[in-house]
Amino acid sequence: MRIRAQVAMVMNLDKCIGCHTCSVTCKQTWTNREGTEYVWFNNVETKPGIGYPKHYEDQDRWKGGWILDRKGRLTLRSGGRAKRLSRIFANPDLPSIDDYYEPATFDKDLLVSAPAGLTDTPVKRPRSALTGEPMAITWGANWEDSLGGQSGQDDPSLARMATKVKLEFEKTFMFHLPRICEHCLNPACVSACPSGAMYKRAEDGIVLVDQDRCRGWRMCVSACPYKKVYVNHATGKAEKCTLCFPRIEAGLPTICAETCVGRLRYLGIVLYDEDAVLAAASVPDPQDLLDAQRAVFLDPRDPGVERAARDAGMPDEWIEAAKLSPIRKLISEYRIALPLHPEYRTLPMVWYVPPLSPVLDAAGAAGRDDADADDVFHTIRDLRIPVEYLAELFTAGDTEAVAGVLMKLAAMRSYMRSRTLDGTVAQDLLDRIGMTAEQVEAMYRLLAVAKYDERYVIPAAHAKDAAALDAQAAGHDGCALDCEGGPGMSDPFHLSARP
Amino acid sequence: MRETVGDRGRTLHQYDGAWDAFYRDRWRYDKVVRSTHGVNCTGSCSWNVFVKDGLITWEHQATDYPTTGPDSPDYEPRGCPRGASFSWYEYSPSRVRHSYVRGVLAEMFREARQRLGDPVLAWAEIVETPLKSQAYKSQRGRGGFVRASWDEAIEMIAAAHVYTTKTYGPDRVVGFSPIPAMSMASFAAGTRYHALLGGTLLSFYDWYADLPVASPQIWGDQTDVPEAGDWWNATYLMMWGSNIPVTRTPDAHFLAEARYRGTKVVAISPDYADNVKFADDWLAPHPGTDGALAMAMGHVVLTEFFRDRPVPYFLDYVRKYTDLPFLVTLRNTGDAWAADRFLTAADLGEANGEHKTVLLDAATGEPVVPNGSLGFRYADDGEGRWNLDLGDVVPVVGLDPAGETVEVDLARFDTGETEGGTTIRRGVPIRWIAGHPVTTVFDLVMAQYGVRRGDLPGEWPAGYDDADAPNTPAWQEKITGVPAALAARIGRELARNAERSHGRSMIVLGAGANQWFHSDMTYRALISLVTLTGCQGVNGGGWAHYVGQEKARPVTGQQHLSFAFDWQRPMRHQAATPFWYLHTDQWRYERVPADELSSPLGTGRFAGMAFADTVAAAQRMGWTPGHPFFNRNPLDLTDEAAAAGRPVAEHIVAELRAGRLGAVADDPDDPANFPRCLTLWRANLLGSSGKGNEYFMRHLLGVEGSATAAECEPAQRPRDVAWRDEAPVGKLDLLTAIDFRMTNTGLHADVVLPAATWYEKNDISTTDMHPFVHAFSPAVEPPGDAHTDYDTFLALADKVSELAVDHLGVRRDVLAVPLQHDTPDELATPSGRVRDWRDGECELIPGRTMPKLIEMERDYTLLGAKMRTVGPLLDKLGTTTKAITVDVGPEIEYLKHRNGVIDGRPSLATAIGMCEAILALSGTTNGRVARAGFAALEKRTGQPFTDLIAGHEDDRITYAQTQDAPQPVFTSPEWSGSEKGGRRYSPFTLNVERLKPWHTITGRQHFFVEHDWVAELGEQLPAFRPPLNMARHFGKPGDAVDGGVTVRFLTPHAKWSVHSMYHDNELMLALSRGGPVIWMSVPDAAKIGVRDNDWIEAHNRNGVVVARAVVSHRMPEGTVFQYHSPERTVNVPKAEKSKRRGGYHNSMTRLLVKPTHLAGGHAQLTYAFNYYGPIGSQRDEITVIRRRTQEVEY
């Protein structure tokens, strides 16, 4: 057993209001600069939808993530090392700027400086932020917001469902999916990097791109099935979500988490066995990946684990934080958080609580038991979001696993309704979901009351580590490639070749 | 060190290079400053603004709100993507950093000023020389700004204001700025300036159609709602036309979280809006039919919880807290009867009993005059008796249906040839008292909802499934499309939950239900649901209206200082909707006659009248303000009176009687009556809120808009208001825009003054969404010539004072002000019986049958000095809020020490001083003031109140504290709820728990509204009024156009903007679609061959909009959305239709004035600023949409 700690995140999609504040605060802090105009380390998608970049979940097209080879061994979908190197100068599995979107800016200073005698009021027209040329805006970072457009019909997860769903008014459903880098336990991007520039930090699992070492091959972009590594088109280098490591090191939550208005993000430590990762990522049946990944996680309340952690040199503060970790509770104890697309086999470390939704057929449901006005909730089988659809996102198609989570959320609500209105304990509900009253009430507190210090349990970097990190920060002196238009790395989107 | 673990390409390593300094550096900053975002948004979120190297880098939400306690969610981290992107404006290309004047005007002014040596004379020459004035007015909106120095721009504005004051009257100088709560000092700066000048200040809440007119009608209260944290206490939560995640983003989590506590959530929305995902049930009524759904739910509640199984909690509640037991007289209509008015003690022979209402005692069966009605509020003998204490009396709720009955006619509006609908006849039990047949409000309500008891005669529904009888579930299904069983079930659940929880059913109401022409009727039907079920005044229950509502928690200081009540009272507060209806000449295009709205129950009192006539009538009767009022300069009127040797009021009455003096409303197109100067600050009137935008363009500015509507036919013209054959264009001499960004308003202004942003000023902010007051603080200095609003108006006032020495000096002004709410003026019109002096129905009595006439001195040379100090009137009169007067001597002393003195008075020379003064004078922020107010309330009511401030009597909140962290306010008589002990604020808990009357005729919550104009429209009782039938009145806009589809045009609030703010912000443009869009359903798009992102045009008689289509299966067929409000300056091409710049959503609208919103002079229907007045509704409109050529020109 090789014990390690990872700072992980859970997002409760059932609380996400789709406001995109996370995207804005992240972008304002990290990527509002030349070269990263189109880059959103954090973005929020409306589901169903094809996402950002377009169809990123379609790995037949993009070849992201891992597969098992014929011998059952884990291998990058984009091929072995030799194959990847052969394509190093012409990678066909790379999204173009149009797959993201061409960022727009608008005429500068035209309103104030407009000359006299115009026939009409002045107006600012869109121009490409990349070329400065006038442009028509035809796609965006969030084009499908709140089901805008009809591209949602092409959502790969819908296509995979056995039950065909037509997107129409009467059957409308939607939810929002905020996404950052998954900081995977088995990151495909890291493995695909020919330069060794990408790495997963040993102490907290954060996946980073060493800007000094990056040579701009962009294999990471292809390999990441979540398309969360981007090319800075000014430097030619890869950039990605850093999990706000300068804040995490100081014990502060990431910006996307702290500014999350829906209060749906949780951050905390997960302990895991590094030696078990490969086997977990290699289980044959994709539907077993969820349990396999859970099995990699270690319970810090287990004295054996605690001892092992201490022996491995983990600071006490981190071990205590792991015990209090909301991530551990949501993933392992209450088991209501699920990984996004476990079938990519990267063992992602940003997990999600799937959303409830309104009843689908209100008229039909209205006819159920009109006599009992106290029976106010619907069964989870009646909800609008097809369980099959959620299963395509979170359980490699295992509908029972998703239904089990929704059942817990629904039972918690019914249980708490009795507690709130009558002060009674609905034992039958507890029995149905196999939880104790204490567990359900603790889960309720974590999801509903959700105090700041319960959402974010982040130990500061251990003092000596922090000093080391500071020392690292001080000595930086630039690199040959990170200047604007560095050698061979300019124009990664071939904008100059466009008509 | 490099460590690699794993195999087959898996790597895990730690690299000790220093590359990551880039990200570390990026995160570093120099300081963090607390500020927020002011005006328009009601969020009032506290933000941390990060500054690095003297530049603002980004902002994150503050998370240090005081806790709500260990068992409920906290307020952190309030915010939204709009606020999070605000810092973009700081250094954006549309930032206004200098003063700008249109070149042609600047040249003329500079030349004339040089030649004449006097800016006032220079201004006079330009505006009075037609060629010159035409020369600059014709260039509005057409570019050509030149830079002016700050001093020059200020001087030009001051000269215009001085000239206008001198020549046309100070009331022709008009100011507009909305929503004081979210930057009180910035608001106060300009309003105080206008108050001291004698200018006219326009309202915003009614103008925005955010005011729920039903609130004054039901409660005598502008708006009072629960804080967001109280949603947590609800166990049944309906969102009715309110898209909480989008429009109340900072607090939406309380909704999501309450669900985990077992709260059932219902969403009522025509589209699958963002909030629907949180609901258990989604009801999608057709737009504008919400009232029908609510009436049907009310039918179920009254049937099952009042008739079949009377619920003790509900009965007890309605007895104590509603008008349901009160007796109403009936009038004979020939072959039947109709509800008339409340029976009063005067009917029983009691002296001064006209405003004391009557109910029956169940024990004796005899009429009783209970405490608490209006008759006890101001009268000496009402002291200690203005309360809801019924003593031993148990009121009768509903007479015996087996006793004597009569048939009454009741209004319905779903049938008939006109908007006025028809009637339905149903029996009610009656008693005869003092010669009148009387029944109770409850009996009328049961009849109105169609709930039959016993064998009452008349037409009654056969059951819930009777689709022909109004107000049944099946009837509403025909209208709304919501399945009858579903409507019934939700109504039943709401009531049952209220029964179990004793009132913890809440309805969150939003603009989707409110901003319709008949919003008041829709709201009355909705609010009835939570009033019948005992939810009002209960934490977790009742209505929760969140539409542009605001709550300046320190309201007393805010109002007295904003309106300069420390120097003189009152000021010219004007209801904006009738003002703009007249002065932008929208009345000239009116096709709906006033009596089109009249119910057959009415007496035909609007026959032959246009809406403009109803405005003129309501103004002359003193119900609603009409500033400017007289067709002469009021400064001259006082001189005339002096010359004639008689008091001003006497002079005016005599001149009016003789017909020598007229009202502006009688002839708005007379050049003597034009508004001449308009100053906009914190506002984008011409790019966001200006309903009937194209009429503003044409008539106010002289810019040809894209309206194609024809003026009304001679037969449709007003009866009383003068018609001039030639409509004036370019009425306004000076439009001043004060802003930090260039908007559509700025582009059309004559002068643009650069303003400081919210990250560059000191101010304070509050909201009703949370109970805290917190600060704006400057993170950086304003750039260039930019000034804070506060400093801008000080500079302007100083310049006016300087110019006044030669041009104005000391003058006397006379104000015609309407009968005021929360004053004894409420007693002017007993029973709301209308008498018009113009028709000889009564004498001209100022303050009773016509406006009050109030004379005051204005020393224009002291304008700047008065702006800068707290005036002495406060020492003399104290403060008065909602009829509670507090001596503020100690606060004046405190402020002298805190702010320093100028000429012996407390200084207001800085915005911080203004903030301190506001905080010191208000009960919510000064415990001593709250205690004094509660003591006064105890005296009037005879009920205990001062304990509510116990422990805080000596506490006050200072500006410095608000910079430190958000500060929780104190419980105060300024509001109706309690925060004592960290309790979540819920309105009317003091009324319910402390038996304080509501500010209505009965002192209770009203189902029955009495007033002749209300009766004329058939609106005494809740009823469903459908959207106006625009196609019938104005013709179907699509008839003449090939390939178009005619749809309802709705303008809900957007995720990517707050009004037009942020719609020009590149972050928000990047996350949306980079310009104006219209959302359409898939079938509507298919009808006209439109695909997603195609360019389309929407047009009707009022204007044209060019936008890209967002085609979505989320949208219902027959309805399109253009989210309020795209900024017209970004990515708006020229329209194919008009060849002019495409408009924004208010290019499709035109005002209509609902006469009942003008009704006044009686009880809760008296005027107060932003409290009562016609709403500028915009949801009843229809438009044609067509695909246009995809080649667009800018």
Side-chain angles (χ1 to χ4, degrees), chain B residues 51 74 95 241 736 861 906 1075:
Chain B
V51 181
D74 283 326
R95 180 80 200 262
T736 304
T861 67

Side-chain angles (χ1 to χ4, degrees), chain B residues 685-748:
Chain B
L685 181 69
L686 303 178
S688 180
S689 67
K691 281 135 193 169
N693 181 75
E694 305 306 304
Y695 304 96
F696 275 78
M697 289 289 147
R698 180 182 296 165
H699 297 288
L700 203 65
L701 299 183
V703 175
E704 189 43 50
S706 50
T708 55
E711 293 189 331
C712 54
E713 302 294 335
Q716 296 165 321
R717 289 176 188 169
R719 182 188 73 186
D720 306 330
V721 173
W723 182 271
R724 290 174 179 245
D725 285 338
E726 187 135 350
V729 293
K731 290 177 170 183
L732 215 53
D733 290 338
L734 177 68
L735 175 62
T736 304
I738 304 173
D739 209 332
F740 56 80
R741 66 185 184 120
M742 187 53 88
T743 66
N744 195 53
T745 299
L747 289 177
H748 287 90

Side-chain angles (χ1 to χ4, degrees), chain B residues 651-690:
Chain B
H651 176 71
I652 287 173
V653 167
E655 293 292 290
L656 283 173
R657 192 183 282 128
R660 285 189 297 268
L661 179 64
V664 166
D666 293 336
D667 190 1
D669 287 348
D670 177 349
N673 295 338
F674 294 171
R676 293 282 173 170
C677 300
L678 174 63
T679 304
L680 304 170
W681 75 107
R682 307 159 72 252
N684 182 11
L685 181 69
L686 303 178
S688 180
S689 67

Side-chain angles (χ1 to χ4, degrees), chain A residues 14-15 31 34 40 53 93 118 147 155 167 211-212 217 226 280 282 285 301 341 353 367 380 393 401 448:
Chain A
D14 190 52
K15 291 178 77 176
T31 61
E34 193 181 353
W40 298 79
D93 303 325
L118 298 177
L147 301 176
D155 181 333
L167 299 182
Q211 296 290 297
D212 290 351
W217 300 120
Y226 302 96
S282 308
D285 184 346
R301 298 170 304 177
H341 290 305
V353 179
I380 60 158
L393 285 178

Side-chain angles (χ1 to χ4, degrees), chain B residues 298-319 322 324 397 442 445-446 451 453 495 528-529 531-534 1007:
Chain B
H299 179 89
V300 171
V301 172
L302 287 165
T303 302
E304 299 181 17
F305 297 83
F306 281 81
R307 185 191 69 186
D308 297 347
R309 183 177 66 86
V311 171
Y313 173 73
F314 295 167
L315 279 177
D316 185 54
Y317 182 92
V318 300
R319 270 190 202 108
T322 75
L324 289 182
V397 180
F442 179 77
V445 164
M446 291 292 269
V451 182
R453 288 161 297 158
S528 293
L529 294 173
T531 311
L532 287 169
T533 55
F1007 289 84

Side-chain angles (χ1 to χ4, degrees), chain A residues 2 4 12-21 24 28-30 32-33 73 105-106 109 111-112 114-121 123-126 137-138 142-143 145-150 167 169 172 174 176 185-186 190-191 198-200 202-203 209-213 239 245 247 249 255 258-261 263 274 278 358-359 362 366 368 370 374 376-378 384 412-413 416-417 420 422 444-445 448-449 451-452 455 472-473 476, chain B residues 2-3 5 7-15 18-24 26-27 59-61 67 69-74 76-77 79-81 84 87 93 100 141-144 232 235 249-250 253 257 259-264 270 272 274 276-282 486 489 492 496-497 500-501 504 742 747-748 1055-1056 1066-1069 1071 1073 1079 1082 1092-1093 1110-1116 1129 1131-1132 1134 1140-1141 1194:
Chain A
R2 195 157 13 167
R4 293 205 180 272
N12 181 356
L13 298 183
D14 190 52
K15 291 178 77 176
C16 182
I17 61 177
C19 73
H20 301 252
T21 308
V24 173
Q28 289 273 68
T29 310
W30 297 118
N32 64 350
R33 53 196 155 95
R73 291 176 310 188
T105 183
F106 294 82
D109 197 31
L111 301 179
V112 170
L118 298 177
T119 55
D120 217 333
T121 50
V123 72
K124 299 199 285 189
R125 286 176 304 165
I137 298 174
T138 58
N142 181 34
W143 194 257
D145 191 63
S146 301
L147 301 176
Q150 295 170 276
L167 299 182
F169 180 74
T172 313
M174 70 171 175
H176 303 284
L185 292 184
N186 183 31
V190 171
S191 294
M198 296 197 72
Y199 63 99
K200 186 172 180 67
E203 73 273 29
V209 186
D210 179 338
Q211 296 290 297
D212 290 351
R213 290 180 165 245
E239 289 201 49
F245 69 83
R247 287 174 57 99
E249 287 165 8
I255 286 165
E258 188 176 64
T259 67
C260 174
V261 180
R263 307 167 90 242
E274 169 61 24
L278 182 62
V359 66
R368 54 196 183 123
D370 270 348
D374 293 337
V376 297
F377 295 131
H378 304 281
R384 280 179 173 266
M412 174 186 73
R413 292 184 66 198
M416 286 304 300
R417 185 166 178 84
T420 303
D422 308 324
Y444 148 78
R445 275 195 69 89
V449 179
K451 297 288 184 185
Y452 185 98
R455 300 203 300 281
Q472 291 166 21
H476 179 59
Chain B
R2 179 171 174 152
E3 175 192 5
V5 294
D7 44 16
R8 290 189 210 143
R10 291 199 58 262
T11 58
L12 176 78
H13 57 242
Q14 185 166 318
Y15 182 66
W19 72 269
D20 58 0
F22 170 75
Y23 291 109
R24 291 183 197 286
R26 211 174 150 80
W27 171 244
E59 58 275 84
H60 295 162
Q61 296 102 309
T67 183
D71 298 322
S72 50
D74 283 326
E76 52 85 22
C80 73
S87 58
Y100 292 95
R142 298 174 61 187
W232 174 254
T235 49
T249 310
H253 67 86
E257 287 153 350
R259 290 149 66 239
Y260 298 154
R261 207 184 176 197
T263 301
K264 163 128 187 196
Y272 200 90
D274 278 39
V276 174
K277 78 180 279 268
F278 293 107
D280 295 295
D281 279 294
W282 171 41
L486 180 60
R489 180 162 63 78
R492 183 180 301 123
R496 172 63 183 154
N497 179 77
R500 288 175 76 190
S501 64
R504 287 164 63 184
M742 187 53 88
L747 289 177
H748 287 90
K1055 192 185 278 188
W1056 310 112
E1066 292 194 2
L1067 282 151
M1068 296 296 92
L1069 288 166
L1071 284 174
R1073 290 194 173 193
W1079 285 68
V1082 176
D1092 190 52
N1093 209 40
V1110 181
V1111 180
S1112 173
H1113 70 279
R1114 199 193 90 204
M1115 294 292 296
T1129 57
N1131 200 2
V1132 177
K1134 291 191 179 183
R1140 299 186 55 79
R1141 177 82 50 229
Y1194 292 93

Side-chain angles (χ1 to χ4, degrees), chain A residues 130-143:
Chain A
L130 305 178
T131 66
E133 295 300 314
M135 67 177 281
I137 298 174
T138 58
W139 195 258
N142 181 34
W143 194 257

